[in-house]
């Protein structure tokens, strides 16, 4: 299990700012060097977005353009923030703040609370369940464990969408929430929950953001102090921003626009928590001068995996689908995804376990294999199947590595050995760092061979084995490193929550797998009722389920196995069918019904520019290299020539008959729309189409003058005309 882009464990720090840019592709380099003004990075799965933005920050710092202390990079998980800090450290950009929204807000709130409110900040509770239970008791409402979780989720959603108790019912109905109880009752519980918090003088996770927003809104002096500190912002996973987080970001920015956001609308899978891709999709509207960079070169997955991922999105609908990115694999070809049908769920789990056993026997590391499912409740069957075959596993989302008791004890033992090792008989025969670590950890329960079976003993051994492996990698990267150096590295990693790899097959829900990747991925339970999940009823909910499957597919680097079961239990009625999302994609399910690509090509778009204040704003698209005539090779500067990709005087190979058919079709479209003909397509664009004669969507989309909106509206007709078909209605008005 690794985070999203392979890199050496302990790389050398680049020796200059220019060296930071080495190895970046053209689009990543554009992200790294676009250091002023608003920048929006649309980054497909596996395209190296974390690499691009960390190199951007590091390049700015190393080149002296950005002051480290003035940069605030925010993301959504402690793991992602820790990884970002680790990468910045490896690039020589220490001192940059990389935090979650909540961590950054809490730090500011703790600092400014005495000045803004007085006294000390109320205690932060890390779990709401008990408070919600107490609120329910005060309202004389009985809630079971499941209902407690559901009501808690509704309270959290209300707070991140800035919905007060009195407005909950209409807001929940408007948002299409799957409400667990009567809306008025949930509003009552929400209000009582807030009362309980006030009575006990505590705040919750969402209050941290709400209170920070309130302080910055009400105290201009404090807002200015924050803005003086942070002048440059980077926001990762911007498609997951909630309205409350967006409001906080706006207050941090003030009137400035030194902001870089990174996201992918096709990976929006947390809308139930209040996340929305609208802020990402509307970024160009809010910031007309923004540079937009699209990353579509997929360095993670083979062409076969990427083809399936693109196929899933080609059948999508809705606003996020309109902005999907067409990934282009940069990997060598690999095996086709496998599809397997089983009679029941236990048989499916046993089948996956047998395949995993074969992979392990063939030399695939257990840590490079994952089993991904839709709900956490599915994990038990797979835990049992893996344990039956003696396969080590780890549950994603379990206790954080550095918080495990055995890891804490191991850290104390290693720290003591580093300090007093000269008097430790355990270390007498240890000749190098790895052997010293093995000697120390042998006293904590580590042994060269893992214990038999599974359970807590095996889990403790796996944790200690991960530390042994880390020591070996550290010694290989830094010859001569001491035990004290390793202890310092472990402290850095603990602070960053940058855990070493645990040698076990990963079991994880699709939601918790986001941001991770493995060589081999088993997507299990991909049947109707589970994918999409039964309670996904609206079009928006169905499309989010499709995006969730897309996230699962794009976790695989080399091999992907997709499976489903016809019934839940052995002997049950085989009433299930494979997920509708696989229709047209898996063998034997018919032809795929795709849709036009929505701005899928990679590249760079500059913002709007005007000659002076108040001048008309004109969008300008720049290219990575000068446009050259495809006939004589001369550099083109005229817009019309650039559209044709040839000089006006160079010979044309245009299909005259096709050009005339396109003109006739354009005239009909213009009459129907009540617009001049050039508003459909200009003559130059029609000439470029007639010269290119595109046969597929990608070829047509790349022709200058065929933008996203026109592609959606006219693309199918144009491709049909180019193929020699009669699209009909040439002289009709309707």
């Amino acid at each position: 299990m690794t985070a999203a882009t392979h890199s050496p464990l302990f790389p050398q720090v680049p020796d200059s700012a220019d060296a930071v840019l080495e190895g970046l592709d053209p689009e990543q380099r554009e992200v790294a060097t676009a250091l002023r003004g608003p920048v929006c990075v649309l980054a497909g799965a596996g395209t190296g977005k974390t690499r691009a933005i960390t190199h951007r920050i590091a390049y700015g710092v190393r080149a002296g353009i950005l002051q480290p202390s003035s940069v605030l990079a925010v993301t959504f998980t402690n793991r992602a923030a820790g990884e970002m800090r680790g990468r910045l450290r490896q690039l020589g950009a220490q001192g940059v703040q990389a935090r979650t929204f909540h961590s950054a807000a809490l730090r500011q709130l703790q600092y400014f609370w005495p000045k803004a409110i007085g006294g000390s900040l109320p205690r932060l509770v890390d779990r709401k369940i008990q408070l919600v239970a107490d609120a329910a008791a005060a309202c004389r409402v009985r809630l079971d464990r499941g209902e407690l979780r559901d009501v808690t989720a509704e309270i959290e959603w209300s707070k991140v969408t800035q919905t007060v108790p009195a407005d909950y019912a209409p807001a929940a109905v408007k948002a299409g929430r799957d409400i667990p109880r009567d809306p008025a009752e949930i509003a009552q519980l929400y209000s009582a929950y807030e009362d309980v918090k006030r009575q006990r003088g505590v705040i919750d996770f969402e209050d941290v953001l709400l209170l920070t927003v309130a302080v910055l809104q009400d105290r201009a002096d404090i807002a200015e102090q924050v803005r003086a500190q942070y002048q440059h912002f980077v926001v990762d996973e911007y498609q997951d921003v909630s309205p409350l987080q967006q409001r906080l970001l706006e207050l941090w920015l003030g009137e400035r626009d030194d902001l870089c956001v990174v996201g992918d609308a096709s990976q929006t899978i947390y809308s139930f928590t209040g996340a929305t891709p609208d802020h990402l999709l509307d970024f160009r509207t809010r910031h007309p001068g923004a540079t937009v960079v699209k990353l579509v070169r997929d360095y993670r997955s083979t062409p076969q995996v990427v083809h399936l991922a693109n196929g899933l999105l080609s059948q999508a609908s809705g606003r996020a689908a309109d902005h999907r990115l067409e990934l282009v694999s940069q990997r060598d070809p690999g095996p086709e995804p496998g599809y397997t049908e089983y009679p029941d769920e236990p048989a499916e789990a046993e089948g996956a376990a047998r395949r995993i056993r074969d992979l392990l026997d063939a030399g695939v590391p257990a840590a490079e294999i994952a089993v991904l499912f839709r709900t956490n409740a599915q994990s038990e069957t797979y835990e049992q199947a893996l344990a039956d075959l003696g396969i080590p596993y780890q549950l994603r989302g379990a206790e954080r590595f550095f918080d495990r008791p055995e890891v804490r004890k191991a850290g104390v033992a290693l720290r003591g050995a580093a300090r007093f090792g000269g008097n430790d008989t355990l270390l007498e025969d240890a000749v190098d760092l790895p052997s010293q670590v093995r000697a120390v950890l042998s006293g904590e329960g580590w042994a060269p061979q893992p214990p038999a079976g599974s359970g807590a003993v095996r889990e403790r051994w796996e944790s200690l084995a991960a530390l042994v492996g880390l020591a070996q990698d550290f010694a290989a990267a830094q010859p001569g490193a001491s035990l004290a150096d390793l202890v310092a590295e472990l402290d850095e990693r603990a602070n960053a929550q940058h855990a070493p790899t645990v040698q076990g097959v990963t079991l994880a829900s699709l939601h918790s797998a986001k941001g991770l990747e493995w060589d081999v991925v088993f997507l299990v339970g991909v049947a109707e009722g589970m994918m999409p999940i039964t309670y996904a009823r609206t079009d928006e909910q169905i499309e989010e389920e499709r995006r969730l499957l897309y996230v699962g597919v794009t976790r695989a680097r080399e091999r992907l196995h997709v499976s489903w079961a016809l019934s839940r239990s052995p002997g049950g009625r085989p009433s299930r069918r494979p997920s509708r999302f696989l229709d047209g994609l898996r063998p034997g399910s018919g032809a795929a019904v795709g849709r036009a690509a929505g701005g899928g090509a990679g590249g760079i778009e500059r913002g709007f520019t005007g000659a002076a204040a108040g001048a008309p704003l004109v969008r300008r698209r720049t290219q990575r290299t000068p446009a050259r005539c495809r006939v004589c090779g001369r550099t083109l500067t005229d817009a019309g020539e650039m559209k044709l990709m040839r000089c006006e005087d160079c010979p044309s190979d245009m299909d005259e008959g096709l050009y005339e058919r396109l003109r006739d079709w354009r005239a009909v479209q213009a009459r129907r729309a009540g617009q001049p003909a050039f508003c459909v397509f200009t003559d130059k664009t029609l000439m470029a189409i007639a010269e290119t004669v595109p046969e597929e969507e990608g070829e047509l989309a790349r022709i200058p003058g065929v933008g996203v909106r026109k592609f959606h509206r006219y693309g199918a007709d144009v491709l049909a005309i180019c193929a020699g078909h009669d699209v009909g209605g040439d002289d009709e008005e309707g």
Side-chain angles (χ1 to χ4, degrees), residues 164-491:
V164 298
D167 296 336
Y168 168 78
V173 171
K174 182 179 179 182
R177 302 287 293 175
D178 189 13
I179 303 171
R181 297 179 74 94
D182 179 74
E185 190 173 56
I186 293 180
Q188 179 189 16
L189 291 169
Y190 177 14
S191 180
Y193 168 79
E194 293 298 316
D195 289 341
V196 169
K197 282 198 295 120
R198 277 191 293 271
Q199 291 163 10
R200 299 182 184 178
V202 298
I203 60 175
D204 63 23
F205 207 49
E206 288 71 38
D207 288 332
V208 171
L209 299 184
L210 285 163
L211 291 169
T212 306
V213 165
V215 168
L216 295 178
Q217 283 181 161
D218 295 344
R219 291 290 299 267
D221 57 330
I222 292 176
E224 286 308 313
Q225 194 172 340
V226 171
R227 291 167 194 160
Q229 169 70 50
Y230 296 117
Q231 288 140 29
H232 193 90
F233 296 86
V234 177
V235 184
D236 193 13
E237 303 288 5
Y238 194 55
Q239 77 278 353
D240 291 332
V241 164
S242 70
L244 179 56
Q245 289 164 331
Q246 176 64 23
R247 180 60 187 141
L248 177 58
L249 179 62
E250 290 167 355
L251 288 165
W252 281 341
L253 275 167
E255 299 300 317
R256 300 163 302 169
D257 64 358
D258 272 336
L259 169 67
C260 174
V261 301
V262 189
D264 178 9
S266 297
Q267 296 188 68
T268 305
I269 59 173
Y270 298 109
S271 66
F272 60 91
T273 67
T276 170
D278 289 346
H279 305 300
L280 175 68
L281 299 179
D282 293 337
F283 190 83
R284 194 63 174 274
T285 303
R286 294 196 314 276
H287 301 279
T291 296
V292 178
V293 184
K294 297 178 182 179
L295 304 182
V296 298
R297 303 175 202 243
D298 187 320
Y299 298 96
R300 176 189 301 159
S301 305
T302 64
Q304 287 74 17
V305 173
V306 166
H307 179 72
L308 175 57
N310 286 337
L312 279 172
L313 292 189
S314 73
Q315 302 179 46
S317 61
R319 193 172 182 218
D322 290 341
H323 295 265
R324 70 186 179 90
L325 298 167
E326 190 86 12
L327 299 177
V328 182
S329 175
Q330 308 297 299
R331 299 273 312 265
D332 291 334
E336 290 290 339
Y339 300 88
T340 309
E341 183 173 275
Y342 292 94
D344 52 66
E345 288 183 5
E348 184 180 9
E350 290 164 10
R354 284 194 301 271
R355 286 176 181 265
I356 291 170
R357 181 77 268 170
D358 291 342
L359 289 167
L360 296 177
D361 292 343
V364 177
E368 291 299 349
I369 304 173
V371 179
L372 306 182
F373 32 75
R374 176 60 181 84
T375 67
N376 287 316
Q378 293 169 270
S379 75
E380 184 178 357
T381 306
Y382 290 89
E383 291 179 58
Q384 186 62 54
L386 293 175
D388 288 346
L389 293 183
I391 298 171
Y393 65 86
Q394 59 170 330
L395 278 172
R396 177 72 188 164
E399 190 176 27
R400 294 194 298 189
F401 182 83
F402 287 103
D403 291 339
R404 297 175 187 175
E406 66 271 19
V407 174
R408 288 180 176 275
K409 284 186 66 181
V412 171
L414 290 169
R415 191 170 288 105
R419 190 173 300 170
F420 307 112
N423 300 318
D424 193 334
T425 56
L426 274 174
L427 302 182
E428 286 179 355
D429 298 325
V431 296
D432 56 15
L433 177 59
S435 60
Q436 288 176 331
V437 172
R438 289 193 293 268
V440 172
L441 296 188
S442 64
E444 301 298 323
W446 179 83
Q449 296 301 320
S454 58
V457 173
R458 177 61 182 249
E459 289 176 6
R460 284 195 295 272
W461 184 89
E462 295 285 357
S463 297
L464 298 176
L467 292 174
V468 170
L470 178 66
Q472 292 168 342
D473 292 331
F474 187 66
Q478 299 191 26
S482 66
L483 198 53
D485 295 329
L486 177 65
V487 168
E489 174 67 24
L490 289 175
D491 288 341

Side-chain angles (χ1 to χ4, degrees), residues 7-8 34 48 57 187 202 227 260 352 385 474 494 507 617 662 696 722:
S7 62
I57 295 169
V202 298
R227 291 167 194 160
C260 174
F474 187 66
L507 298 178
L617 296 176
L662 288 168
E696 56 185 35
C722 290

Side-chain angles (χ1 to χ4, degrees), residues 460-682:
R460 284 195 295 272
W461 184 89
E462 295 285 357
S463 297
L464 298 176
L467 292 174
V468 170
L470 178 66
Q472 292 168 342
D473 292 331
F474 187 66
Q478 299 191 26
S482 66
L483 198 53
D485 295 329
L486 177 65
V487 168
E489 174 67 24
L490 289 175
D491 288 341
E492 288 275 3
R493 283 172 166 260
N495 291 332
Q497 285 301 326
H498 183 190
T501 301
V502 175
Q503 287 301 319
V505 173
T506 300
L507 298 178
S509 71
L510 288 165
H511 282 101
S512 65
K514 187 168 182 301
L516 303 173
E517 60 184 61
W518 296 267
D519 284 345
V520 186
V521 168
F522 289 80
L523 287 176
V524 299
V526 188
E528 285 292 306
M530 194 61 75
M531 181 58 69
I533 198 79
T534 306
Y535 52 76
R537 300 186 183 94
T538 67
D539 290 344
E540 292 82 2
Q541 290 168 339
I542 295 293
E543 287 307 312
E544 181 149 339
E545 292 288 299
R546 186 194 306 276
R547 294 194 296 271
L548 189 57
L549 183 58
Y550 170 81
V551 166
V553 167
T554 54
R555 299 311 94 194
R557 295 193 199 106
E558 297 171 6
R559 288 180 247 190
L560 179 67
H561 299 272
V562 183
S563 63
W564 58 91
L566 296 178
S567 69
R568 180 174 183 178
S569 305
R573 188 163 62 90
S575 57
R576 293 178 177 175
R577 61 175 293 268
S579 169
R580 71 191 75 171
F581 300 145
L582 299 178
D583 291 348
L585 300 175
R586 63 183 176 87
S589 62
V593 180
R595 63 194 294 279
I604 300 111
E605 287 184 25
R606 301 293 184 192
F608 292 85
T609 57
L617 296 176
V618 182
R619 192 167 93 172
R620 177 166 54 89
R621 185 186 291 264
T622 64
Q623 297 181 316
R624 295 299 308 168
T625 56
R628 299 187 184 279
C629 173
R630 53 191 169 87
V631 180
C632 71
R634 182 177 69 83
T635 299
L636 302 176
T637 55
D638 177 75
E641 292 182 335
M642 291 171 70
K643 188 167 288 188
L644 291 173
M645 292 306 291
R646 65 171 175 81
C647 305
E648 288 278 9
D649 299 334
C650 283
S652 168
D653 53 359
M654 182 176 71
D655 183 329
E656 296 285 353
L658 174 58
Y659 178 65
E660 290 304 322
R661 291 195 300 277
L662 288 168
R663 282 175 57 87
D664 292 343
W665 166 83
R666 181 183 65 174
V668 173
Q669 299 300 320
R671 283 199 304 274
R672 288 176 177 172
Q675 296 178 327
F678 69 82
C679 290
V680 180
F681 285 121
T682 65

Side-chain angles (χ1 to χ4, degrees), residues 70-101:
S70 73
V71 180
L72 178 59
V74 287
T75 186
F76 284 81
T77 66
N78 286 320
R79 183 197 59 79
E83 182 195 351
M84 195 177 291
R85 287 194 294 272
R87 291 202 190 195
L88 289 170
R89 181 161 54 95
Q90 292 165 358
L91 292 169
Q94 291 92 340
V96 173
Q97 292 292 316
R99 297 180 174 275
T100 64
F101 269 100

